[in-house]
């Protein structure tokens, strides 16, 4: 995590750093932080399907509600 934070500090326009940090947050079950990093990666590189897919997976893991499932489906599309 420290390495990713430093990498972002040095090159905040590289979406892979945000994506990878989002994956770390995802693994730690910190889904809101994962969403934030996936959003930043998508903002920088909106056509990368892996970013959208990972954001969808994070939505699936948050409380099992129709709203979150609906958001997950949007991300997968």
């Amino acid at each position: 995590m420290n390495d990713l934070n430093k990498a972002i500090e040095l090159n905040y326009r590289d979406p892979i750093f945000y994506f990878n940090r989002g994956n770390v947050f995802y693994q730690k079950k910190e889904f809101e932080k994962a969403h934030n990093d996936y959003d930043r990666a998508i903002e920088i590189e909106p056509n990368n399907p892996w970013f959208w897919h990972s954001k969808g997976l994070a939505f699936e893991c948050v409380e099992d509600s129709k709203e979150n499932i609906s958001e997950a489906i949007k991300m997968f599309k």
Side-chain angles (χ1 to χ4, degrees):
M1 183 64 81
N2 289 334
D3 289 342
L4 288 168
N5 289 334
K6 184 65 173 176
I8 289 169
E9 182 182 313
L10 294 172
N11 186 1
Y12 66 94
R13 296 287 304 153
D14 189 327
I16 296 300
F17 297 146
Y18 293 99
F19 174 69
N20 288 337
R21 190 173 69 176
N23 290 337
V24 172
F25 285 131
Y26 178 89
Q27 292 297 317
K28 294 171 70 174
K29 300 185 182 340
E30 295 181 34
F31 300 116
E32 187 66 35
K33 291 178 181 179
H35 280 292
N36 291 337
D37 276 349
Y38 294 145
D39 283 340
R40 183 68 178 124
I42 289 167
E43 181 182 309
I44 297 168
E45 191 177 316
N47 295 322
N48 188 315
W50 290 107
F51 300 166
W52 291 98
H53 177 77
S54 294
K55 186 165 174 66
L57 292 176
F59 269 117
E60 281 186 329
C61 292
V62 178
E63 300 175 18
D64 188 27
S65 72
K66 287 184 180 180
E67 181 180 322
N68 286 326
I69 297 301
S70 175
E71 288 300 314
I73 291 169
K74 287 180 193 176
M75 298 302 115
F76 294 139
K77 289 182 178 182

